[in-house]
Amino acid sequence: MTATLDPAASSAPEDAGAATLRRPWRPTPERASLLLLLGLTALGYLWTLSESGYANQFYAAAAQAGGESWKAWFFGSLDIGNAITVDKPPASLWVMGLSVRLFGLSSWSILAPQALMGVATVGLTFGIVKKVAPWPAAIAAGALTALTPAAALMFRFDNPDALLVLLLVGAGFSTIRAIETGKARWLVLAGVLLGFGFLTKMLQAFLIVPAIAAVYLIAGPGSFLKRVLHGVYCFGAMLLAAGWWIAIFELVPESWRPYMDGSQNNSVLELAFGYNGIGRINGGDYGGLGNAGFGSAAGILRLFQGVSGGMITWLLPAALILLVAALVWLRKAPRTDLTRATLLLTGGSMLVTGLVFSFMGGIYHDYYVVALAPWIAATAVVGATVLWRHRAGIAARIVLAVTLLASAVWAWVLLGQSDQQPYATLRWVVLALGLGAAAGLAVVARLERFGRGVAVAVLAAAAVSVGIGPAAYAIQTIGTPHTGSIVTAGPYSGGGPGGLGGPGGPVRMQGGPGGQAMPAMPGGQNGGPAGGPNGGQDGGQDGGQGPELFRLGGGGGMFGGDEISDELAEMLRTNAGRYRWAAATTSSTSAASYQLGSGESVMSIGGFNGTAPSITLKQFQEYVADGEIHYYIAGGGPGGMGSFELPAGMELPGNAQLPAGGQAGPGGDRESSVSTEISSWVEENFTSTDVDGTTVYDLTQPKADS
């Protein structure tokens, strides 16, 4: 049962590997297991996928636009008429837009690419671990990645995170290959993938760069100068892969391209280093609405508290313990030891990403933690493999036993958060199985005297004990539709610090079916106990019923988006071919709903949060005079921000502002914005019509006295 790593095998010549690849394919236990893992992952991620509809309508509408307009596809426009982009670069939209163009607009054409990215991520995680561990361990790492609840959520959702995680794991795999072979081209490939990661979700892609740079400088083959030179190649490739699109966007005249949402000066660089960069770290106001006011309180325990804990941390304590222990056992290994290099890469990526998520003072959403899933799984499995190889010594067995015990206890805690069945019973099963397996690990060297099968049984019990909890949460997540922009995984939706319904978590918000939860302002608001009738989130999960912080007007949930009525959709389609935009409305979430519902281009005034100066009143008047906009739809509309009202005596913290279209209550005032100027001008000059509760102005029919 003892597995060994042959250093020579990991540095075999490229020709030998090529010869191996040319041999006829034969089924082996390893290949069969890998195919089974990938097949089950695909089945799970594609299962009932269409029940989530378009999931995040904000990105679905942009994919729709990209499927109809190559200009919208290239720039990442939200609308077919190319008025404004989404507040992210367009790489993930390139994939979805091509899918829509090939297969037509549907839930499957939007979401299936995300699921396939998840399958590829699992395969690459297997590949990383297989370099330094037996194939059953690599299978375990891939399976643990697939079963991470955050992965089961985001690889079935159309946010940019799925592509980002795939690119980052690909960069990690390429780095290991560069260390293994000494070939600069692998490190250059890592740089290219990181660059496209930037074009997916900007600076978050660079969170693993410190680990990649440090690992290659430490463990890369050849002289130090050669390793530095290869690092320069990687950095140059990263800049080119990210910079070509940025250069085109910045150099193209503004009149030829859409406005960059999330910026105040129509600049992708401002978006990258402002709202989506420094603003996410310090909470500063770089995008109009600011970065304050979202997420649980920052701190070292943020990932372990509330919803985030059940989404990602099942194996995080084990990964941290095993990382330190394995590095201690490998302290005398050669500089180029591939096992230690892999641990430094996966563990370093895990630590840097986790610490940034824990302490970032700007917007933090629980689903961000999907970026940790492959690093935690790989670190835990490789670390456990190192200690398993040294199980003849009592110290290694004790560390393994203590780690498994800690994992079982933590799973018992997490499973107890939901206070539902089958989790309330399952937690005791996990605890009992973990305790038994931990005891077996402590004496496994003696148990092996009775045969190798005993050790295999102990390992199997350990694997099952750490996998049951996340698997149960992942299955629940797969079986639950998720829509909107703020989504979570697992049955637990609040009640603890930082979670829904607890201090530092979201508070209740009225305005749509289920009463979506609104994230708390910095410092946290007490949202009350979980399970309130008005706190539903993510397809029916219960959240907290706390004080009414905001009142939402309109028909949708928090940044959610709803289906529009048939009458309104038909109205927008009428003579739509004569106009560049069938309608205009405030906020991108509202515009996305109308565009998806009607299939026609809808202009977003003010972008995602309604505060981007994407258009002036004069420009809007010129568009109307030139007959380029047919209708104006008042209010937040389906899924829009709607009308907010602050309770008496309450003020928004920091630099946070009410979204455009909002009305200040007794707690504070809100400066007039372009969107309100446009709304006022339309109301004064055009006659309104009520369409199924939505106020619509025909901009081709001015009032008689205007």
Side-chain angles (χ1 to χ4, degrees):
M1 190 58 195
T2 303
T4 59
L5 175 67
D6 182 3
S10 65
S11 58
E14 291 273 314
D15 293 341
T20 300
L21 291 176
R22 286 193 292 269
R23 294 173 183 170
W25 188 90
R26 294 186 178 89
T28 64
E30 175 184 341
R31 290 169 177 169
S33 298
L34 177 58
L35 289 176
L36 179 62
L37 170 64
L38 298 181
L40 290 176
T41 301
L43 178 63
Y45 287 174
L46 293 170
W47 188 263
T48 64
L49 191 63
S50 61
E51 290 188 5
S52 292
Y54 293 127
N56 189 339
Q57 292 194 3
F58 178 61
Y59 293 114
Q64 177 194 33
E68 297 192 27
S69 163
W70 284 114
K71 181 178 180 180
W73 177 83
F74 180 80
F75 288 112
S77 297
L78 175 77
D79 60 292
I80 303 166
N82 290 286
I84 192 169
T85 70
V86 298
D87 60 352
K88 297 290 187 298
S92 67
L93 298 175
W94 291 341
V95 178
M96 289 188 285
L98 288 176
S99 180
V100 170
R101 187 172 286 270
L102 288 172
F103 304 108
L105 179 66
S106 69
S107 177
W108 274 85
S109 65
I110 295 289
L111 299 180
Q114 321 305 317
L116 297 179
M117 290 175 197
V119 175
T121 299
V122 169
L124 285 171
T125 305
F126 169 90
I128 290 174
V129 176
K130 180 60 176 63
K131 293 293 181 183
V132 297
W135 67 263
I139 291 291
L144 290 170
T145 300
L147 292 174
T148 302
L153 172 71
M154 297 312 294
F155 286 126
R156 293 165 49 85
F157 204 74
D158 50 344
N159 275 31
D161 299 77
L163 179 59
L164 176 68
V165 175
L166 173 61
L167 292 170
L168 296 188
V169 176
F173 178 84
S174 299
T175 302
I176 295 300
R177 285 289 284 145
I179 295 172
E180 181 186 29
T181 64
K183 302 295 185 181
R185 63 174 179 264
W186 285 104
L187 206 61
V188 169
L189 176 58
V192 171
L193 294 174
L194 289 170
F196 275 92
F198 181 90
L199 293 183
T200 303
K201 212 174 177 189
M202 295 192 158
L203 294 184
Q204 185 181 334
F206 295 163
L207 293 181
I208 71 167
V209 170
I212 288 177
V215 168
Y216 195 78
L217 287 176
I218 292 172
S223 66
F224 181 76
L225 182 59
K226 179 182 178 181
R227 301 197 298 274
V228 171
L229 186 61
H230 287 182
V232 172
Y233 295 160
C234 176
F235 184 73
M238 183 177 71
L239 290 182
L240 287 174
W244 69 273
W245 183 86
I246 297 173
I248 292 175
F249 189 94
E250 294 290 345
L251 293 175
V252 166
E254 294 184 3
S255 59
W256 294 5
R257 59 170 172 81
Y259 186 93
M260 176 54 67
D261 192 14
S263 73
Q264 294 295 297
N265 296 291
N266 199 4
S267 168
V268 65
L269 291 175
E270 180 195 346
L271 175 67
F273 295 100
Y275 179 69
N276 280 338
I278 298 174
R280 299 294 170 121
I281 301 298
N282 64 11
D285 181 5
Y286 298 97
L289 179 61
N291 259 290
F294 289 82
S296 56
I300 193 65
L301 296 179
R302 170 187 269 179
L303 299 185
F304 295 91
Q305 295 176 335
V307 178
S308 287
M311 290 181 66
I312 195 63
T313 62
W314 301 88
L315 282 178
L316 184 52
L320 293 171
I321 296 171
L322 292 170
L323 173 64
V324 174
L327 291 177
V328 170
W329 257 270
L330 294 172
R331 65 188 181 279
K332 295 182 180 180
R335 178 184 64 81
T336 57
D337 181 76
L338 197 61
T339 302
R340 183 173 58 192
T342 301
L343 274 172
L344 289 174
L345 174 66
T346 61
S349 299
M350 174 185 71
L351 286 172
V352 174
T353 303
L355 288 173
V356 170
F357 287 168
S358 296
F359 290 100
M360 58 190 291
I363 294 174
Y364 167 79
H365 295 310
D366 296 291
Y367 64 76
Y368 289 174
V369 298
V370 67
L372 290 165
W375 307 128
I376 291 175
T379 302
V381 170
V382 174
T385 300
V386 171
L387 268 66
W388 179 257
R389 290 170 177 159
H390 294 84
R391 64 189 179 279
I394 188 173
R397 299 200 303 272
I398 290 176
V399 173
L400 285 172
V402 169
T403 301
L404 183 58
L405 179 61
S407 298
V409 171
W410 182 236
W412 180 82
V413 172
L414 292 175
L415 286 168
Q417 286 184 319
S418 66
D419 195 26
Q420 302 174 25
Q421 291 294 354
Y423 314 102
T425 299
L426 196 60
R427 64 193 302 235
W428 295 103
V429 175
V430 171
L431 183 62
L433 190 59
L435 290 174
L441 286 174
V443 295
V444 69
R446 294 186 178 182
L447 293 177
E448 283 187 290
R449 298 174 185 174
F450 299 98
R452 297 174 60 184
V454 178
V456 172
V458 171
L459 279 178
V464 171
S465 69
V466 300
I468 289 179
Y473 266 45
I475 291 171
Q476 190 278 342
T477 300
I478 290 172
T480 303
H482 292 86
T483 60
S485 294
I486 303 177
V487 290
T488 59
Y492 176 65
S493 60
L500 298 180
V507 298
R508 182 169 59 92
M509 181 169 63
Q510 298 179 341
Q516 297 281 346
M518 174 81 175
M521 297 301 171
Q525 299 288 337
N526 190 345
N534 297 316
Q537 183 179 3
D538 298 346
Q541 298 182 35
D542 287 333
Q545 181 185 10
E548 183 182 322
L549 176 58
F550 290 108
R551 181 175 301 137
L552 175 63
M558 182 60 182
F559 308 127
D562 286 338
E563 294 183 1
I564 65 174
S565 68
D566 292 339
E567 183 181 354
L568 180 56
E570 185 60 32
M571 183 178 186
L572 294 179
R573 296 189 192 107
T574 302
N575 298 322
R578 300 179 183 177
Y579 305 92
R580 183 175 176 183
W581 295 281
T585 192
T586 297
S587 94
S588 293
T589 48
S590 302
S593 296
Y594 296 126
Q595 181 168 292
L596 288 169
S598 66
E600 305 296 339
S601 181
V602 177
M603 175 193 289
S604 164
I605 300 172
F608 182 76
N609 59 38
T611 62
S614 57
I615 189 173
T616 65
L617 174 59
K618 181 180 178 181
Q619 289 171 327
F620 186 84
Q621 291 171 334
E622 291 175 353
Y623 281 138
V624 173
D626 293 339
E628 296 199 67
I629 309 174
H630 194 177
Y631 297 107
Y632 175 83
I633 305 174
M641 302 294 286
S643 176
F644 288 90
E645 185 175 318
L646 288 176
M650 179 176 179
E651 296 182 0
L652 288 169
N655 293 320
Q657 302 174 20
L658 285 174
Q663 298 175 353
D669 297 324
R670 181 183 178 278
E671 294 183 1
S672 175
S673 66
V674 173
S675 58
T676 56
E677 292 177 357
I678 291 175
S679 176
S680 298
W681 177 76
V682 170
E683 291 175 5
E684 292 172 1
N685 292 277
F686 299 91
T687 304
S688 64
T689 301
D690 184 272
V691 183
D692 287 338
T694 301
T695 302
V696 181
Y697 295 85
D698 187 339
L699 300 182
T700 66
Q701 301 294 326
K703 290 181 178 179
D705 56 349
S706 52

